[in-house]
Amino acid sequence: MARLLIVHHTVSPATQELLEAVLEGARDDDIEGVSVQATSALGASLTDLLQADAVILGTPVNIGYMSGALKDFFDRTYYPAQGNTEGLPYALFVHGDNDTSGAVRAVESITKGMGWVRHRPPAEVRGRPDAKAREACWELGAVTALAALERSEG
């Protein structure tokens, strides 16, 4: 069975709402053969990452950057995972009140260094999530679950 790992820091109601939409998409009834594991960034382990066929990262923007919790996940896994996760498909959802570019840039820089492949453009949500934002996150979850399935079969 394919494994989709969702590593998130969702302390705000807005990021929690986006995570729920991602989970709904990833767990859609039409997608079979994918196990979805959603884990807080502070609780996600190297083992979780090494067992994943695809990853979705979720973070609020904190002081123009990704959350400290997501940065901690990368700090704990970056060097031990190097060489073991090359080509891993990933996607990102980010929530900020004004600007999400700093958080996106930071995550993309780290994932590039890890050799991961961005599966689709990030879902960048500014302000209160609306139906369009929830739909983008639902789609991000569904499409990345399919990427996990493709990687596990490939």
Side-chain angles (χ1 to χ4, degrees), residues 40-65:
S40 72
L42 292 173
S45 70
L46 176 62
T47 301
D48 296 330
L49 178 58
L50 294 176
Q51 294 175 346
D53 295 298
V55 176
I56 296 175
L57 305 165
T59 185
V61 176
N62 289 345
I63 314 170
Y65 195 70

Side-chain angles (χ1 to χ4, degrees), residues 2-130:
R3 296 178 62 114
L4 172 61
L5 175 64
I6 302 172
V7 178
H8 62 91
H9 186 67
T10 52
V11 295
S12 72
T15 51
Q16 181 63 40
E17 188 175 341
L18 299 177
L19 171 64
E20 290 169 9
V22 166
L23 287 168
E24 286 177 22
R27 293 177 174 155
D28 186 83
D29 291 339
D30 290 337
I31 301 171
E32 297 178 0
V34 179
S35 169
V36 178
Q37 176 187 348
T39 305
S40 72
L42 292 173
S45 70
L46 176 62
T47 301
D48 296 330
L49 178 58
L50 294 176
Q51 294 175 346
D53 295 298
V55 176
I56 296 175
L57 305 165
T59 185
V61 176
N62 289 345
I63 314 170
Y65 195 70
M66 75 180 96
S67 71
L70 188 58
K71 174 67 168 61
D72 174 76
F73 169 74
F74 284 129
D75 285 345
R76 289 182 288 110
T77 60
Y78 187 88
Y79 288 111
Q82 274 192 329
N84 297 309
T85 59
E86 294 280 329
L88 185 70
Y90 85 94
L92 170 66
F93 67 94
V94 179
H95 176 264
D97 289 329
N98 301 306
D99 182 21
T100 57
S101 62
V104 170
R105 187 172 41 256
V107 169
E108 289 185 339
S109 176
I110 293 168
T111 55
K112 182 178 180 182
M114 294 180 86
W116 297 3
V117 177
R118 189 179 81 181
H119 187 64
R120 62 180 303 111
E124 298 181 57
V125 179
R126 293 171 193 87
R128 186 172 183 91
D130 58 11

